[in-house]
Amino acid sequence: MSSILNAQTRQQAIETVSDSTLDVLVIGGGVTGAGIALDAATRGLKVGIVEADDWASGTSSWSSKLLHGGLRYLEMLDFALVHEAILERNLLLRVIAPHLSVPVPFIYPLHKAVTERAYVGSGITLYDSMAWLGGTPAVPGHRHLTRRGLHDLFPGLDETQLAGGIRYFDARIDDARLVSTLVRTAAHFGARAINRVQVTALTTDEFDRVRGAEVLDRESGQTFSVRAKNVINATGVWTEQTEALSGTSGGLKVLASKGVHIVVPRERIPGHAGIISQTEKSVLFVIPWKDRWIIGTTDTPYTGDYASPVATEDDIAYLIGHVNELLVDPISREDVIGTYAGLRPLLQPGTKAGTASTKVSREHTVASPAPGLTVIAGGKLTTYRVMAEDAVNFALGPSKARKKPSRTKQTPLLGARGLDAITAKRAEISRIHGWPMWRVNRLINRYGTLLYDVLELIGVEPELSDELEGAPGYLQAEVVYAVTNEGALHLDDVMERRTRLSIEYPDRGAAAVDQVSRLMAAQLGWSEKQRLREVSGYLAGTAHTGIGDGPGQTAHAGDDDLASAPDVAHDHADGPGERG
């Protein structure tokens, strides 16, 4: 099957799912839903996945971008959860997505020379040792740092207030790119993927078993029906709204918690590793991200519009205040070039009466509030694959699940196969296209071997190898590829998710908007009026944000409890070309 996602394949997918019965219909196109679609498709099942907005348009694109076991869960004595997540981190680094994920170091600053070093050190030692239980670890082990060692690794820290630190490793990943690659890989294995369509009703048979859905195409305004033997709800903070479409009173209950991040220029804080530190309310981190820092996060209850959480000035001040407690040269509000906010879907304790439920782990739960309907909620970015496997197993039942077991442990995502070969050709690619090595490294980290497809576009139109105006970290070819191969239909799809222009450049990448919109218009056939409408909507922050869409969207917390860190292990960068 083709892995290409664009306006044409989207229409073909609508026609296919309207004219057949699926084994599994997945509602929600975040990391969990995308993972479910891939898991089911690789079992040989007939699969469809629908998303009310764009792939990863919920919090799956606004996480802390970390693959980790979760140090704080060790303190809660949840060893099984930490071990499970560490194994999944290693699997992503080694097998599933080695092109998208990068081992990165963290510094845990210590304030007390003896007691804190002993306590934190023992926890990190246990953390590292758990990686050996699943084979050879995919990241280096930890080491203790003196004040001098701390200064050498992170000169921007105020070591006069610290007693040293501990350096350990986890990994980072571009969350939105992970989701889009999951969806495309699922399509490669036969799944029908349709974004910008909203589930308006769940249909049932005479025995009140859920048998499919009524769906509104938000692009054309047309409606269509989908028949399915099993429907899986993976809509994050919209879980209860989607459950309600079945007419049942049972189901999972989910609360939303807001996590906010700010972005500042890399040169503003001298350092060569990430930072992780506890605050009174959450975990504070400083994440090297290309030539910027991402600083987060908050953890506050949220009851506003789920489709458009924002970072308030109080949120921003909270993060600035806490990071400044660690820095020798404090940052200010003027240093902040971007912000973003996402919602974590937190399971409320217990489930409604009458719900058949399996508590799979502390982090996620799978339930069936109505026959034919499976619901999964909770969890985090790192363990999306386990969540997907659990959801499909639950939907199929023990007997069918044994006959068609999950295969995703051994299934690399698109772009992963042949990674060593394209990495060996970096110098050749650099020479042919006149690009610095950092750019080639960054492109491989975004596309893996799919970079050959991008280079093919440039072969046809050489001018596409030029940088975007106002966004030199990206090529014009990447915008075209986002439309022709990655399913981008609107300006915000490219600005916010296929690239990360909206958080990496001032004013949400406004300086690049005109050129990006013109490149997209040429591919999508927009009139000048349509193009200007896309531009004005994006700049106003209202274009295709899913406001008022309700069920069928997805929002996931990802890993906002901890953070990602810099690409020191791969040592590919000193600036904008750092992998990630």
Side-chain angles (χ1 to χ4, degrees):
M1 297 293 292
S2 174
S3 64
I4 293 175
L5 298 181
N6 56 35
Q8 291 71 41
T9 61
R10 177 182 178 277
Q11 184 57 40
Q12 292 167 5
I14 291 174
E15 293 169 2
T16 299
V17 300
S18 301
D19 194 37
S20 59
T21 300
L22 302 174
D23 293 314
V24 176
L25 170 64
V26 184
I27 306 174
V31 71
T32 304
I36 291 169
L38 177 59
D39 185 279
T42 52
R43 297 184 195 221
L45 300 173
K46 193 171 186 179
V47 180
I49 177 171
V50 295
E51 161 61 40
D53 206 275
D54 184 31
W55 310 117
S57 58
T59 310
S60 284
S61 58
W62 307 122
S63 78
S64 297
K65 306 171 190 4
L66 177 73
L67 303 175
H68 74 111
L71 271 178
R72 70 174 182 174
Y73 298 117
L74 285 182
E75 202 167 20
M76 302 175 188
L77 305 182
D78 201 338
F79 303 121
L81 172 62
V82 175
H83 182 230
E84 176 184 79
I86 288 175
L87 294 184
E88 291 302 309
R89 177 201 69 187
N90 292 351
L91 200 58
L92 280 155
L93 283 165
R94 283 226 166 93
V95 179
I96 296 174
H99 55 314
L100 302 178
S101 51
V102 182
V104 290
F106 283 106
I107 295 172
Y108 194 110
L110 299 174
H111 295 81
K112 298 178 181 178
V114 179
T115 56
E116 189 180 16
R117 186 179 291 278
Y119 180 73
V120 175
S122 63
I124 293 179
T125 298
L126 177 60
Y127 188 76
D128 279 353
S129 68
M130 286 185 171
W132 286 95
L133 299 178
T136 305
V139 300
H142 72 283
R143 70 181 178 90
H144 286 258
L145 302 172
T146 62
R147 279 186 178 175
R148 174 61 183 272
L150 188 67
H151 176 79
D152 290 344
L153 191 55
F154 208 109
L157 283 174
D158 184 1
E159 72 268 20
T160 64
Q161 304 297 318
L162 301 170
I166 301 175
R167 186 217 65 186
Y168 75 100
F169 279 78
D170 266 316
R172 75 168 181 216
I173 198 164
D174 185 329
D175 45 11
R177 182 146 295 275
L178 171 63
V179 175
S180 64
T181 307
L182 281 166
V183 174
R184 290 189 63 193
T185 307
H188 173 75
F189 285 101
R192 305 295 179 174
I194 314 168
N195 57 346
R196 305 283 183 183
V197 292
Q198 182 179 343
V199 172
T200 58
L202 294 176
T203 56
T204 57
D205 60 17
E206 64 271 25
F207 303 106
D208 292 328
R209 179 182 177 86
V210 174
R211 290 293 188 182
E214 295 294 325
V215 184
L216 169 67
D217 182 351
R218 296 180 57 221
E219 295 296 298
S220 68
Q222 302 297 309
T223 59
F224 59 95
S225 300
V226 181
R227 300 186 301 277
K229 298 174 184 176
N230 299 280
V231 176
I232 301 180
N233 169 11
T235 54
V237 292
W238 286 275
T239 294
E240 292 183 60
Q241 291 95 317
T242 308
E243 287 174 336
L245 296 177
S246 68
T248 180
S249 59
L252 302 180
K253 300 191 70 175
V254 174
L255 297 173
S257 175
K258 186 176 72 169
V260 168
H261 306 74
I262 61 176
V263 183
V264 301
R266 176 75 81 91
E267 63 270 17
R268 189 58 188 82
I269 305 174
H272 310 291
I275 299 173
I276 177 171
S277 180
Q278 296 281 352
T279 73
E280 73 280 5
K281 294 181 180 179
S282 61
V283 176
L284 176 76
F285 53 80
V286 181
I287 314 163
W289 181 263
K290 303 180 185 178
D291 56 351
R292 298 150 188 87
W293 297 102
I294 295 177
I295 301 172
T297 182
T298 61
D299 187 2
T300 55
Y302 184 80
T303 57
D305 183 353
Y306 285 177
S308 54
V310 296
T312 66
E313 287 301 319
D314 285 344
D315 294 328
I316 296 168
Y318 171 86
L319 293 174
I320 291 174
H322 279 82
V323 77
N324 281 344
E325 293 176 3
L326 298 172
L327 301 179
V328 67
D329 182 15
I331 64 171
S332 68
R333 180 65 176 86
E334 288 69 34
D335 294 313
V336 177
I337 62 173
T339 66
Y340 66 90
L343 302 179
R344 305 176 185 90
L346 303 180
L347 283 167
Q348 292 192 48
T351 57
K352 294 181 180 178
T355 299
S357 176
T358 296
K359 189 64 183 288
V360 180
S361 78
R362 182 188 185 95
E363 282 295 290
H364 69 272
T365 295
V366 186
S368 179
L373 176 63
T374 296
V375 181
I376 184 165
K380 61 182 184 178
L381 189 73
T382 309
T383 56
Y384 82 86
R385 193 203 62 80
V386 175
M387 295 171 64
E389 180 178 343
D390 291 340
V392 177
N393 284 344
F394 191 96
L396 295 180
S399 178
K400 290 182 180 178
R402 281 193 296 269
K403 293 177 182 177
K404 290 183 175 290
S406 176
R407 294 180 170 85
T408 51
K409 274 188 178 181
Q410 298 82 33
T411 304
L413 300 187
L414 292 177
R417 293 188 188 276
L419 183 61
D420 288 344
I422 194 170
T423 300
K425 292 184 177 182
R426 289 181 300 160
E428 180 183 347
I429 294 171
S430 174
R431 176 181 54 80
I432 291 173
H433 296 280
W435 295 332
M437 190 59 74
W438 67 256
R439 185 181 298 285
V440 179
N441 289 329
R442 186 189 67 80
L443 289 168
I444 291 175
N445 188 215
R446 283 173 55 75
Y447 300 101
T449 54
L450 293 176
L451 177 58
Y452 290 127
D453 296 337
V454 179
L455 297 180
E456 187 175 336
L457 288 176
I458 292 172
V460 176
E461 297 183 59
E463 64 273 16
L464 295 179
S465 68
D466 293 342
E467 297 175 338
L468 285 175
E469 297 171 5
Y474 293 92
L475 303 177
Q476 295 180 32
E478 296 184 78
V479 176
V480 174
Y481 187 76
V483 175
T484 60
N485 286 261
E486 296 179 334
L489 298 175
H490 294 283
L491 184 57
D492 60 305
D493 298 347
V494 172
M495 298 293 294
E496 295 183 348
R497 291 171 289 278
R498 305 308 184 278
T499 72
R500 310 319 297 264
L501 287 163
S502 67
I503 65 171
E504 293 176 355
Y505 290 90
D507 301 318
R508 299 178 64 236
V513 163
D514 186 72
Q515 187 178 32
V516 170
S517 67
R518 291 185 186 280
L519 289 166
M520 293 185 70
Q523 299 299 321
L524 292 166
W526 291 344
S527 66
E528 181 64 4
K529 183 178 180 180
Q530 287 176 294
R531 187 188 72 82
L532 291 175
R533 185 164 60 243
E534 290 277 338
V535 169
S536 62
Y538 174 76
L539 293 177
T542 59
H544 304 282
T545 57
I547 295 174
D549 290 340
Q553 297 189 73
T554 223
H556 297 277
D559 292 294
D560 283 341
D561 50 346
L562 288 177
S564 53
D567 184 4
V568 172
H570 286 67
D571 196 27
H572 287 325
D574 292 301
E578 184 171 335
R579 292 184 71 188

